[in-house]
Amino acid sequence: MHNGYSAERRRALVLYGSETGNAQDIADEMGRMTERLHFSTNVAHLDAVEPSILLDYSVILISISTAGQGDLPNNARRFWSMLLRKKLPQTCLRNVHFTIFGLGDSSYPKYNFAARKLQRRLIQLGAEEIFLQGEGDEQHPEGYESTFIPWLNSLRGHLLVQYPLKGKMGPIPSSRLLPPKVILVLDRQENNANGQSAHDFESCPTNHITTKKSILSCAPPPSIFGRGKQDINSSVELKVMLEHNQRITPDDHWQDVRHLSFSAGGSYNYAPGDVLTISPKNASEDVDQIIDLMGWNDIATLQIKILSQTEPVLDGSRAALSVEGHESGLTLRSLLTENIDLNAIPRRSFFSLIANFTTDNFQKERLLEFTNPTYTDELYDYTTRPRRSILEVLQEFDTVKIPWQWAAAAFPKLRGRQFSIASGGELKYGKNNSTRFELLVAIVKYKTVIKKVRQGICTRYLAGLSPGTSLRVSLQRGDLGIIKSDLSRPVLMIGPGTGVAPMRSLIWERLYWANLLQKSTNGAAAQESRCILGKTVLLYGCRNYKADFFYGGEWEELKQKMPLQVFTACSRDQKEKHYVQDLVKEQGKLVYELLHTTTGIVYVCGSSGKMPLAVRNSLIEVFQQNGSMEKDQAEAYLARMEKEGRYKQETW
């Protein structure tokens, strides 16, 4: 047991490492839990702090996802590099008390690897794990919350025992509204300058909003940890223009798949496996509905500002909600259009919050039922299973009226969506020293179990864009780790559906590298390219050869320029379904030659779920049948390939 209630030591630091935002959501929920236990709480991403700051807190809670091949997320890698400094004393983090919740995907070989290696390193440096690490699996039918909620409840009980409250003081009840981390206010100066009348909209249903000074706002003195590597896989923000937006599946095909081409002024270097992150906008009809539902019409077009209730963190990172890019000024309508996710599936905490904003006892009771861990199945059936959105929840609970000042705090942030780049080699270079980016995007549109049509917010946005549209995107390094020195090495690429996008990039890149090399030796282009390049084999999966065999004509042209072989599994063109994992076994002799005899590299890209595991099992069968291996030997060989960086997976 620790020192009970002490204002000086009752401090919690919640850190996260996140690629898509899930680990950040987990961190926010952990932060609310510690606040209700009267901990002075700060929440920040791992790269916002340096390890020595951990010593200033009584408890450290970390949520972290695993990226790519067992790597830490981009916003945790500088922190990790500081922990890996040589000659750090084994007691440098003594008196640090921590626990970790990891988010992973069990279809990846290195499931929750980032959380596990961070845990080991903290312990190596003297930190104490005060509560057993939790792990969530994206492949679970109920997602990571299936394990997170019970883990969080157990952690809460553990903290109450280890850090008991003073006297009769109890936890802050869930029925009491916590102050928001950010709040909206009118920008009176801008409104007056524009001749708009700013009525008295400033009242907000909480009178306990205070500005807390964070210890993170004061940069610590230089320490044994150094400053870490600043440029590890950092993303680059850029402005692009849409050149082409072409549907490449037939109009009568069940799915609309687009080939999009963007151009950017200047030279931007990228490699196969890199991703373009696109920030979508909400449909205007959705924005209109939320404004009408909440009664925000009078305020919707007035200029507003976002005030943070905590100081900036160590590295000066932005507040909880970035509102850059509002060229004509920030209004509630533009905030709802560009920064708020109205179509997200609501989390348990959302129901807890909005229950404070209704005076209808029946609806309040129903909302609070969803916050009770006893009703986890009911929450899943109401939200996740039918993919019910926040907007639809508010339409059903129509007595809920969220104050406009709370809009940035109540709703989740509208995050950008990542797309693997499909262009490579000579396809990257446009006119006048510009850079081209090509994407292969399946437009998400389906019916749920309650027969409602759902659309992916970003793909819906992309489908409606016209050539000539400008938008801001970010370019980010991927995790395939493709290097030029592997040019002569054979590669096996397994990419069903839109998973062929990074494979196409790799094929074009290998051809380009080979041509550059042969030009430097004054060789004959086509013949030399074939000699320089290792075998390049693509196993592609689709539903119908005539409907979604993407880039079929292109593959035929490329076969004339490089040693490329393409094998296709069309799952619906015959009575029995045929998938890429079946192709692996059918081409077993070739696969064994590529991956064992000539120690080639395999890349698996596409949809997560059953496919990656099925492909792994097929590879194990191939090693058994063609290499006279027992199953445990085949599994060990595949594990060795992973360790050597010869088995790489990127699924979504």
Side-chain angles (χ1 to χ4, degrees):
M1 183 181 295
H2 298 276
N3 290 330
Y5 188 88
S6 168
E8 289 74 25
R9 288 299 300 166
R10 198 174 182 82
R11 305 160 94 181
L13 177 58
V14 183
L15 299 171
Y16 62 87
S18 183
E19 286 286 349
T20 62
N22 288 333
Q24 184 176 352
D25 290 341
I26 290 289
D28 289 338
E29 195 146 340
M30 290 195 293
R32 286 188 287 269
M33 182 270 291
T34 55
E35 281 189 75
R36 292 190 181 279
L37 298 185
H38 298 281
F39 283 88
S40 176
T41 301
N42 289 113
V43 180
H45 60 83
L46 280 155
D47 278 357
V49 305
E50 71 130 313
S52 61
I53 279 180
L54 275 56
L55 295 162
D56 295 321
Y57 288 82
S58 47
V59 63
I60 309 296
L61 310 181
I62 301 173
S63 65
I64 188 166
S65 61
T66 296
Q69 319 308 313
D71 301 317
L72 274 75
N74 279 311
N75 60 2
R77 294 181 185 180
R78 187 178 71 88
F79 179 87
W80 177 243
S81 73
M82 288 189 278
L83 291 183
L84 295 180
R85 288 198 69 186
K86 294 180 180 179
K87 299 182 180 179
L88 286 176
Q90 291 186 354
T91 58
C92 62
L93 292 182
R94 187 174 57 188
N95 297 324
V96 168
H97 305 102
F98 78 96
T99 188
I100 297 176
F101 188 85
L103 291 84
D105 185 329
S106 57
S107 70
Y108 276 79
K110 295 184 177 180
Y111 170 64
N112 261 311
F113 199 69
R116 295 172 187 179
K117 66 183 181 181
L118 179 58
Q119 174 207 40
R120 288 195 299 268
R121 186 56 178 161
L122 290 172
I123 292 173
Q124 286 172 358
L125 296 177
E128 177 189 354
E129 185 178 35
I130 61 167
F131 190 73
L132 187 65
Q133 177 172 307
E135 293 185 347
D137 184 4
E138 189 64 33
Q139 293 303 317
H140 190 280
E142 296 177 23
Y144 53 82
E145 282 207 338
S146 63
T147 52
F148 173 67
I149 295 302
W151 180 86
L152 185 68
N153 289 333
S154 297
L155 173 62
R156 179 183 182 276
H158 180 80
L159 292 177
L160 278 172
V161 171
Q162 293 298 312
Y163 301 88
L165 293 167
K166 182 179 179 180
K168 295 183 179 180
M169 178 182 288
I172 300 172
S174 59
S175 58
R176 185 185 301 177
L177 200 58
L178 292 174
K181 295 295 184 292
V182 291
I183 190 167
L184 303 181
V185 297
L186 287 173
D187 189 335
R188 294 189 177 278
Q189 184 175 356
E190 287 294 328
N191 288 315
N192 291 336
N194 295 331
Q196 292 178 292
S197 176
H199 306 292
D200 184 17
F201 292 110
E202 299 296 355
S203 60
C204 189
T206 177
N207 55 11
H208 55 277
I209 295 175
T210 57
T211 299
K212 297 187 295 182
K213 183 172 178 62
S214 167
I215 190 171
L216 302 181
S217 64
C218 301
S223 74
I224 57 174
F225 295 99
R227 298 300 299 168
K229 297 179 181 178
Q230 300 286 342
D231 57 347
I232 304 176
N233 283 6
S234 59
S235 61
V236 177
E237 305 287 331
L238 62 151
K239 189 174 183 178
V240 298
M241 185 181 73
L242 178 64
E243 292 186 338
H244 303 287
N245 187 352
Q246 178 186 2
R247 176 169 178 154
I248 58 175
T249 49
D251 291 339
D252 59 355
H253 187 57
W254 71 279
Q255 188 169 46
D256 179 357
V257 178
R258 302 294 179 99
H259 179 85
L260 298 103
S261 178
F262 301 91
S263 64
S267 178
Y268 295 92
N269 187 36
Y270 62 89
D274 289 357
V275 298
L276 210 62
T277 300
I278 297 178
S279 297
K281 295 181 181 180
N282 285 307
S284 58
E285 53 265 36
D286 291 347
V287 175
D288 289 340
Q289 286 184 57
I290 196 70
I291 289 174
D292 288 340
L293 276 169
M294 295 298 106
W296 293 340
N297 287 284
D298 290 341
I299 192 73
T301 58
L302 295 180
Q303 301 280 298
I304 60 173
K305 297 186 294 186
I306 295 183
L307 297 184
S308 174
Q309 302 305 305
T310 56
E311 292 294 316
V313 291
L314 178 68
D315 68 346
S317 61
R318 60 186 183 274
L321 189 68
S322 172
V323 292
E324 298 169 359
H326 293 263
E327 297 178 0
S328 58
L330 178 65
T331 66
L332 183 59
R333 178 177 289 279
S334 64
L335 182 77
L336 292 167
T337 300
E338 301 180 33
N339 302 97
I340 299 296
D341 196 344
L342 302 175
N343 290 286
I345 298 173
R347 294 175 56 84
R348 187 184 309 270
S349 57
F350 180 75
F351 290 97
S352 178
L353 175 66
I354 65 174
N356 291 282
F357 301 127
T358 177
T359 56
D360 184 285
N361 289 331
F362 175 72
Q363 291 201 356
K364 181 188 287 285
E365 185 178 339
R366 284 190 63 203
L367 289 167
L368 291 176
E369 281 182 0
F370 288 128
T371 70
N372 189 335
T374 306
Y375 299 113
T376 297
D377 292 341
E378 286 79 358
L379 177 64
Y380 176 81
D381 288 340
Y382 181 72
T383 57
T384 305
R385 189 166 178 263
R387 313 296 293 178
R388 186 174 267 110
S389 70
I390 280 175
L391 178 57
E392 289 172 321
V393 169
L394 291 173
Q395 287 170 335
E396 181 167 340
F397 291 89
D398 55 357
T399 64
V400 171
K401 302 300 176 186
I402 301 171
W404 66 268
Q405 295 92 336
W406 279 76
F411 297 102
K413 177 183 177 182
L414 182 56
R415 295 186 173 99
R417 271 56 168 180
Q418 295 181 335
F419 298 93
S420 287
I421 299 172
S423 47
E426 66 180 48
L427 301 182
K428 299 191 293 187
Y429 304 102
K431 299 177 181 178
N432 302 319
N433 196 37
S434 63
T435 305
R436 296 177 66 218
F437 303 91
E438 296 181 7
L439 302 179
L440 181 66
V441 178
I443 307 303
V444 178
K445 188 175 183 179
Y446 60 96
K447 281 189 177 181
T448 69
V449 293
I450 56 175
K451 306 302 180 185
K452 283 203 171 186
V453 175
R454 295 282 184 263
Q455 296 186 65
I457 185 170
C458 192
T459 59
R460 177 188 184 185
Y461 168 68
L462 287 174
L465 293 181
S466 301
T469 302
S470 293
L471 58 158
R472 296 205 66 82
V473 301
S474 64
L475 173 64
Q476 185 174 310
R477 291 294 179 203
D479 296 298
L480 292 182
I482 294 165
I483 54 176
K484 193 181 295 187
S485 58
D486 286 333
L487 184 61
S488 60
R489 208 167 198 169
V491 297
L492 173 66
M493 298 169 288
I494 303 172
T498 55
V500 78
M503 306 294 90
R504 178 179 184 254
S505 175
L506 177 56
I507 290 169
W508 278 101
E509 194 81 353
R510 281 168 67 85
L511 176 61
Y512 182 75
W513 284 342
N515 287 337
L516 284 180
L517 187 58
Q518 67 83 22
K519 285 179 182 177
S520 68
T521 57
N522 297 317
Q527 187 60 37
E528 284 292 326
S529 293
R530 289 181 174 275
C531 295
I532 293 168
L533 269 171
K535 283 187 177 180
T536 306
V537 178
L538 171 64
L539 304 185
Y540 175 68
C542 61
R543 292 173 69 94
N544 307 105
Y545 187 84
K546 292 182 179 179
D548 54 357
F549 179 36
F550 304 132
Y551 308 118
E554 193 173 287
W555 305 140
E556 294 304 315
E557 294 177 10
L558 285 166
K559 287 178 184 178
Q560 308 305 313
K561 301 176 182 179
M562 62 187 294
L564 173 66
Q565 292 177 274
V566 180
F567 300 94
T568 307
C570 301
S571 63
R572 302 299 193 274
D573 278 349
Q574 60 285 314
K575 188 175 181 180
E576 294 185 2
K577 293 178 181 178
H578 194 224
Y579 299 110
V580 286
Q581 56 264 34
D582 301 313
L583 273 182
V584 171
K585 290 184 281 189
E586 289 168 10
Q587 299 299 324
K589 186 176 180 180
L590 174 60
V591 169
Y592 184 81
E593 176 195 338
L594 290 172
L595 301 184
H596 189 275
T597 308
T598 56
T599 62
I601 305 172
V602 61
Y603 299 96
V604 181
C605 297
S607 176
S608 63
K610 296 180 180 179
M611 182 275 292
L613 181 58
V615 165
R616 286 178 62 83
N617 290 336
S618 292
L619 288 172
I620 290 169
E621 284 189 42
V622 166
F623 295 150
Q624 287 180 263
Q625 294 172 3
N626 293 272
S628 300
M629 300 181 190
E630 296 296 327
K631 186 175 182 181
D632 59 342
Q633 293 175 313
E635 290 173 341
Y637 183 75
L638 189 57
R640 195 172 84 199
M641 286 181 61
E642 293 165 8
K643 190 174 182 179
E644 294 171 350
R646 295 197 297 116
Y647 180 98
K648 300 186 179 183
Q649 180 179 321
E650 187 62 51
T651 54
W652 50 85

